[in-house]
């Protein structure tokens, strides 16, 4: 949002300069981004007069000019075709910075002749887009006159408008806050009612009141359109707007002056006598949505979620309501009769239309944030008066249909709440003055009432909903510098730190995965509804009413789709071999709370081609990373049951598994992702992943501050024995290894499977499983008899698991 200092002074009586205004705005909560002061930029430039010219001795297109300047007579080399004796123009001395060229003048020879300055064009001073030669000024202007005053250059303030303050999108709203901050006195203008001379020949019908609750308009006939007067063009140009014609410029002026967007239709280009406000339509015959060529020359496709302004009994779209008008009814210099529109559109509808169609017009920007509903008729009256003054004509009566949204509701407020929340000691009169200057209506109750005041927010402050909001307004205007500097009382620090067990686990997991070579990804907690459906989500209860983007309209049921898409984007940029992880929330329909915290990891194994092959199976590598991570976060790894296959459809049925503490408490699902899912997300496989439900991982027991004991390191060498067992094909090898490990927990340190064989010598329906048992003596070296006894225990334990020692 931009405005000039003179524009602000139309609404605010103040002696403050532009820098004081910017400082006051910053202190009042308006984020000033830039202050452009062309007066300071043009300060070195003054008026000069060419006394004589002579052709440059070494250049036919250059002239050596004798120029009368504020610094006396100067010899200046000039290449402009219009340089001639007697011309009054602009002089730049040595050392001046020329903004249009981006150079600082230095005294140096031009083809052998030293130029003691420069004669400038309007474009070189950024006073015009282009110039044919040096600037020609009226001859009566005295030499030495500052150029800044001649062109009416004035400072421009550019600031960022927060989404909750649409009233700041008008200069009048900025002046109101500055007046409350004691920068000046607010000027109040009564908008005169313009009486209609005849009934409006155009009627309006609201078929979509949920999109446009209220619509007002009037016909003005006999207007004379054309270029706007200089004062209006100058005002719009100063803030970066291009003047178009009087009718359009009036609507742009009011949009920036009062935060009230308007639109003007050429009545001669309308079909019929009725304007219909409706939703976008789809052809019943072809199924194609309707299209509109907008004022920017682009064609847009309207959906039923968009508000359409139509004529010809509602058949022909002539504008996107609250966004942009149509090219078919635009005003030009031949326009004589117009229909002036002033309406109020539902902000969410306009925001979604702008986001979906990629339109970011001034009207869309304002309506999406919420325009003051009470300004519908005043804005129409103000625009009517300006059009009559600039274009002439005769107005009709106003046609008004619909019902504007209700004004903000009043609520109770105790002024003592200001001190309670902020510590500021302000009198009730001062608090009331601040709120009154900001437009709040205060009704004081009796002394016996619990809350002595009832405060009604103004129609343009729908963001104020409670007493804390009022306290913020008072503190903002009084100045946050007035907040008392009172230190908080010292609080004893907890000896065990401030992180909760879950936070500590997340921190450990993040470091562990980074150490394993995974890169952390931070993605949205949203995804596309069709994508969520691939991962068991997509329920309408998790669809957002106002998504930040069309493809982020649903809360994610899993982190995996975001990681898959991130890996696919990396692959598209030449980095296919990705290893990513993310720790964050997921959202489920079938859970009481509906939200879970997960640790998800994904690898896309695409190593460089090598004659030795791919090496270790990536699935077992992922499993090793997973178990290392579970060990780090304190999960009961020894108690986890490994079940073949995952419960969810997005896993590959033959290359996936789950870890659980019983059938109802699944902690992890991992394995290869289903090719069908990868294809739907336009990702090349294979991809392998895991997803840990952190909420389902039990916390380690015995965390009562007990110190870890001394390390128990054996001083004897371990030994190993190999066994080959015959096992039914349907039985899990993991059950066998657990049974062998439990044969003697004191001596058996580890059991490893190193071979699984099926074929000659192995009965049909069975498999040969070879395991290595590592035996770790503790007290003394084992005798042969002790080893034989342990071997017998191992064979017996295996037999209980259904395995027979292979002979």
């Amino acid at each position: 949002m931009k405005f000039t200092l003179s524009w602000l002074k139309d609404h605010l009586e103040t002696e403050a300069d532009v820098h004081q205004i910017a400082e006051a705005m910053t202190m009042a909560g308006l984020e000033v981004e830039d202050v452009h002061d062309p007066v300071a930029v043009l300060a070195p430039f003054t008026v000069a007069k060419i006394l004589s010219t002579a052709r440059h001795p070494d250049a036919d297109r250059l002239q050596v000019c004798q120029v009368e300047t504020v610094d006396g007579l100067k010899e200046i080399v000039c290449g402009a075709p219009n340089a001639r004796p007697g011309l009054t123009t602009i002089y730049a001395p040595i050392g001046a910075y020329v903004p249009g060229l981006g150079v600082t003048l230095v005294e140096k020879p031009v083809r052998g002749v030293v130029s003691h300055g420069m004669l400038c064009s309007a474009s070189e001073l950024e006073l015009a887009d282009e110039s044919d030669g040096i600037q020609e000024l009226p001859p009566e202007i005295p030499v030495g006159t500052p150029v800044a005053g001649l062109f009416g250059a004035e400072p421009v303030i550019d600031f960022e408008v927060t989404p909750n303050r649409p009233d700041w999108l008008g200069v009048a709203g900025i002046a109101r806050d500055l007046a409350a901050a004691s920068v000046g006195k607010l000027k109040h203008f009564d908008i005169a009612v313009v009486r209609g001379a005849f009934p409006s020949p155009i009627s309006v019908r609201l078929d979509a009141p949920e999109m446009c609750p209220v619509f007002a308009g009037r016909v003005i006939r006999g207007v004379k359109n054309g270029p706007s007067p200089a004062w209006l063009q100058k005002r719009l140009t100063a803030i970066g707007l291009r003047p178009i014609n009087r009718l359009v410029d009036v609507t742009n002026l009011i949009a920036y002056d009062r935060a009230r967007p308007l639109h003007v239709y050429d009545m001669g280009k309308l079909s019929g006598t009725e304007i219909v406000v409706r939703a976008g339509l789809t052809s019943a015959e072809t199924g194609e949505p309707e299209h509109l060529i907008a004022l920017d020359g682009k064609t847009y496709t309207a959906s039923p979620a968009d508000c359409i302004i139509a004529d010809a009994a509602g058949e022909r779209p002539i504008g996107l309501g609250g966004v942009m008008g149509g090219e078919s009814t635009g005003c030009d210099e031949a326009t004589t009769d117009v229909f002036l529109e002033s309406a109020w559109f539902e902000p969410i509808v306009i925001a979604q239309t702008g986001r979906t169609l990629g339109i970011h017009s001034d009207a869309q920007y304002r309506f999406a944030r919420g325009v003051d509903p009470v300004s519908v008729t005043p804005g129409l009256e103000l625009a009517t008066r300006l059009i009559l003054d600039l274009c002439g004509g005769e107005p009709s009566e106003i046609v008004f249909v619909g019902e504007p949204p209700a004004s903000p509701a009043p609520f109770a407020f105790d002024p003592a709440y200001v001190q309670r929340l902020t510590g500021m000691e302000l009198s009730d009169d001062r608090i009331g003055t601040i709120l009154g200057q900001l437009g709040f209506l205060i009704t004081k109750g009796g002394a016996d009432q619990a809350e002595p005041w009832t405060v009604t927010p103004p129609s343009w402050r729908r963001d104020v909903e409670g007493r804390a909001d009022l306290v913020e307004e008072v503190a903002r205007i009084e100045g946050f510098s007035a907040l008392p500097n009172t230190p908080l009382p010292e609080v004893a620090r907890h000896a065990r730190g401030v992180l909760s067990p879950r936070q500590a686990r997340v921190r450990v997991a993040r470091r562990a995965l980074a150490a394993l070579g995974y890169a952390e990804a931070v993605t949205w907690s949203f995804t596309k509804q069709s994508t969520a459906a691939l991962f068991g989500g997509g329920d309408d209860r998790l669809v957002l009413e106002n998504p930040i983007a069309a493809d982020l309209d649903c809360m994610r049921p899993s982190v995996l789709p975001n990681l898959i898409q991130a890996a696919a984007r990396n692959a598209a940029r030449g980095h296919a071999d990705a290893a990513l992880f993310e720790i964050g929330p997921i959202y489920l329909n079938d859970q009481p709370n509906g939200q879970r915290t997960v640790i998800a990891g994904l690898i896309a194994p695409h190593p460089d081609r090598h004659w030795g092959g791919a090496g270790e199976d990536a699935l077992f590598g992922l499993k090793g990373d997973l178990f290392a991570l579970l060990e780090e976060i304190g999960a009961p790894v020894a108690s986890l049951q490994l079940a073949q296959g995952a419960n969810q459809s997005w896993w590959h049925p033959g290359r996936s598994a789950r870890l659980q503490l019983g059938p109802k408490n699944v902690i992890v699902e991992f394995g290869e992702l289903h090719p069908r899912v990868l294809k739907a997300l336009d990702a090349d496989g294979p991809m392998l992943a895991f997803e840990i439900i952190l909420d389902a991982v039990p916390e380690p027991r015995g965390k009562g501050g007990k110190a870890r004991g001394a390390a128990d390191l054996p001083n004897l060498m371990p030994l190993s024995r190999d066994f080959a067992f015959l096992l039914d094909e349907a039985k899990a090898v993991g059950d066998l290894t657990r049974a062998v490990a439990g044969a003697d927990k004191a001596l058996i340190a580890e059991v490893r499977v190193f071979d699984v064989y099926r074929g000659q010598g192995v009965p049909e329906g069975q498999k040969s499983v070879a395991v290595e048992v590592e035996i770790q003596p503790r007290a003394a070296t084992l005798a042969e008899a002790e080893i034989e006894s342990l071997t017998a225990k191992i064979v017996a334990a295996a037999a209980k698991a259904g395995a027979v020692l292979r002979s």
Side-chain angles (χ1 to χ4, degrees), residues 36 45 86 107 141 166 203 238 289 322 340 568 595 649 745 772 781:
H36 177 64
F45 303 92
E107 192 173 281
I141 300 177
S203 62
L340 179 62
Q595 180 173 326
S649 60
K745 295 182 179 180
E772 178 187 11
T781 302

Side-chain angles (χ1 to χ4, degrees), residues 127-480:
L127 297 173
D129 293 335
E130 56 185 23
S131 302
D132 295 331
I134 59 176
Q135 182 67 30
E136 298 190 15
L137 299 175
E140 62 271 13
I141 300 177
V143 171
T145 302
V147 171
L150 297 178
F151 289 92
E154 57 177 323
V156 177
I157 297 177
D158 185 6
F159 73 100
E160 184 69 25
V161 179
T162 55
N164 67 316
R165 292 303 304 270
D167 56 306
W168 282 345
L169 291 170
V171 179
I174 303 165
R176 184 188 303 112
D177 275 31
L178 291 175
S182 304
V183 179
K185 183 178 179 182
L186 186 66
K187 298 179 181 179
H188 295 279
F189 299 98
D190 293 329
I191 300 176
V193 175
V194 180
R195 297 188 178 277
F198 56 93
S200 172
I202 300 294
S203 62
V204 178
R205 187 175 86 233
L206 291 181
D207 287 350
E210 70 282 0
M211 295 180 171
C212 177
V214 60
F215 190 106
R218 78 185 331 159
V219 171
I220 306 177
R221 63 190 182 190
V223 300
K224 185 178 180 181
N225 200 11
S228 296
W231 69 266
L232 180 51
Q233 293 194 35
K234 174 186 170 184
R235 178 154 289 184
L236 297 179
T237 303
I239 61 173
L241 296 181
R242 180 176 61 89
I244 300 174
N245 55 54
R246 296 173 192 171
L247 293 170
V248 176
D249 292 350
V250 164
T251 62
N252 287 336
L253 176 72
I254 296 176
Y256 277 81
D257 188 72
R258 303 299 177 99
R260 162 38 64 185
L262 304 163
H263 188 67
V264 183
Y265 301 91
D266 188 331
M267 193 172 155
K269 300 176 182 177
L270 293 175
S271 297
T273 60
E274 184 181 42
I275 285 180
V276 180
V277 183
R278 58 170 174 80
L281 299 177
T282 301
S283 173
E285 298 178 357
T286 64
E288 292 291 326
E290 60 186 341
H291 296 78
L292 169 73
I293 302 177
L295 286 171
D296 60 0
K298 299 179 181 179
T299 301
Y300 296 100
T301 301
S303 72
D306 303 321
C307 183
I308 294 295
I309 311 297
D311 64 356
E315 293 296 326
R316 184 183 72 152
I318 59 174
L320 287 165
V323 179
M324 187 176 291
E327 188 179 65
S328 62
T329 56
C331 296
D332 51 35
E333 292 190 359
T335 300
T336 57
D337 300 333
V338 299
F339 181 77
L340 179 62
E341 167 197 304
S342 179
W344 191 88
F345 298 93
E346 177 60 41
I348 292 180
V349 172
I350 303 305
Q352 290 176 337
T353 296
R355 186 181 302 120
T356 303
L357 300 181
I359 304 178
H360 303 286
S361 64
D362 286 339
Q364 188 272 341
Y365 186 78
R366 284 162 171 77
F367 278 121
R369 282 156 178 76
V371 173
D372 181 9
V374 179
S375 69
V376 170
T377 301
L380 187 63
E381 298 282 15
L382 180 59
T384 302
R385 174 54 58 195
L386 283 172
I387 291 175
L388 295 179
D389 291 344
L390 298 179
C391 306
E394 185 181 27
S396 75
E397 296 174 353
I398 293 177
V399 54
F400 188 99
V401 293
E403 186 71 27
S407 297
F411 53 86
F413 179 68
D414 186 352
Y417 201 61
V418 173
Q419 183 176 5
R420 178 182 171 186
L421 286 190
T422 68
M424 292 180 174
E425 296 182 3
L426 302 178
S427 65
D428 291 0
D429 290 342
R430 175 57 181 159
I431 296 173
T433 298
I434 292 175
L435 295 177
Q437 289 177 321
L438 292 175
F440 294 87
L441 177 63
I442 299 175
T443 303
K444 297 185 178 180
D448 57 336
Q449 294 185 0
E451 303 286 350
W453 290 3
T454 299
V455 179
T456 303
S459 58
W460 59 84
R461 290 302 307 273
R462 295 178 176 272
D463 60 306
V464 176
E465 299 177 346
R467 54 184 185 171
D469 296 327
L470 295 181
V471 173
E472 181 182 1
E473 292 299 298
V474 172
R476 178 175 66 87
I477 297 301
E478 184 66 18
F480 292 117

Side-chain angles (χ1 to χ4, degrees), residues 461-514:
R461 290 302 307 273
R462 295 178 176 272
D463 60 306
V464 176
E465 299 177 346
R467 54 184 185 171
D469 296 327
L470 295 181
V471 173
E472 181 182 1
E473 292 299 298
V474 172
R476 178 175 66 87
I477 297 301
E478 184 66 18
F480 292 117
S481 58
L483 291 172
N485 186 11
T486 304
L488 294 173
E490 286 288 338
V491 178
R493 296 186 179 181
H494 201 290
R496 295 168 58 188
V498 296
L499 296 180
S500 67
R502 179 180 295 181
Q503 290 172 328
R505 274 184 161 179
V506 168
R507 185 178 183 182
V508 169
R510 183 174 285 113
R511 292 183 175 182
L513 285 167

Side-chain angles (χ1 to χ4, degrees), residues 725-726 757-768 805-807:
F725 295 99
L726 292 176
Y757 171 72
R758 302 172 182 86
Q760 187 176 0
V762 176
E764 186 73 21
Q766 290 187 328
K767 55 190 172 185
S768 173
L805 188 66
R806 183 181 175 188
S807 58

